[in-house]
Amino acid sequence: GENVEQHPSTLSVQEGDSAVIKCTYSDSASNYFPWYKQELGKGPQLIIDIRSNVGEKKDQRIAVTLNKTAKHFSLHITETQPEDSAVYFCAAFGNQGGKLIFGQGTELSVKP
Amino acid sequence: GAVVSQHPSRVICKSGTSVKIECRSLDFQATTMFWYRQFPKQSLMLMATSNEGSKATYEQGVEKDKFLINHASLTLSTLTVTSAHPEDSSFYICSASLPGASSYNSPLHFGNGTRLTVT
């Protein structure tokens, strides 16, 4: 089945800097890759997603890139702000089994 | 956007009792809902897939007799933790996708979770 690896597990940046979180997946048939932001004590919130027919997608300060050949995808946050501090999860959906598999999560800390 | 409401947000129960958690899709009908469990500082683990009008599909290692799922309407799924024990203490989160999506290849919207503490 699908396996998703996420790095780093923790990331600390200064306000205004960029943050990059990387994920790799194992199932070449996976075709949908969402990213979620989870604040303490709350459920995950979808922040951006990308499908396998697209290489890059951007939404204001957030962008996601996908390399199907290498089977990895990344989240890029520019001009980070303290309110970006949270745990971020990548996920991959594959046709095999039909379920969303999550990475281990990255705890992002943006220092003012 | 799509809203998924979960209740209660926090519950404390004694060992051996049962606890019911509700998950509602507020502004859309969800034929499929998903239940996840999350331990502190860990990722989300899928427990089961809840289908309206039919039996839930459980992931390997999840006891279906312990975690009872009912999806009686298009806007409500419930998870009942029966005979709860301290090791069942966790953060339980439900999710749903908008109808009309092709299979599961669509955004999942999550509830705000239920913190269960079994004493």
Side-chain angles (χ1 to χ4, degrees), chain A residues 1-3 25-33 51-52 68 92-101, chain B residues 102-106:
Chain A
E2 176 65 279
N3 183 51
Y25 61 98
S26 60
D27 186 356
S28 57
S30 290
N31 55 15
Y32 175 62
F33 308 91
R51 289 181 170 79
S52 58
K68 286 179 58 181
F93 168 78
N95 289 321
Q96 184 182 9
K99 55 191 176 185
L100 205 55
I101 303 299
Chain B
S102 58
S103 187
Y104 298 85
N105 187 4
S106 63

Side-chain angles (χ1 to χ4, degrees), chain A residues 4 6 9 17 28 33 42 50 55-56 61 79-81 83 85-86 92 98 100 103 109:
Chain A
V4 179
Q6 183 172 346
S9 56
D17 288 350
S28 57
F33 308 91
K42 296 186 177 181
I50 191 168
E56 183 174 357
R61 296 186 297 110
E79 301 172 31
T80 54
Q81 301 166 2
E83 49 265 39
S85 297
L100 205 55
S109 176

Side-chain angles (χ1 to χ4, degrees), chain B residues 23-51:
Chain B
C23 179
R24 295 180 185 272
S25 55
L26 295 186
D27 51 359
F28 65 100
Q29 294 182 327
T31 54
T32 303
M33 290 184 176
F34 305 88
W35 287 94
Y36 289 82
R37 180 167 54 183
Q38 185 179 33
F39 292 106
K41 294 196 177 293
Q42 292 191 22
S43 189
L44 288 80
M45 299 301 297
L46 180 64
M47 299 176 66
T49 302
S50 168
N51 299 295

Side-chain angles (χ1 to χ4, degrees), chain A residues 4-9 21-24 35 87-91 102-107, chain B residues 43:
Chain A
V4 179
E5 297 287 332
Q6 183 172 346
H7 298 281
S9 56
I21 302 171
K22 298 181 179 181
C23 288
T24 60
W35 285 87
V87 179
Y88 291 81
F89 290 97
C90 63
F102 284 83
Q104 296 84 354
T106 296
E107 185 172 0
Chain B
S43 189

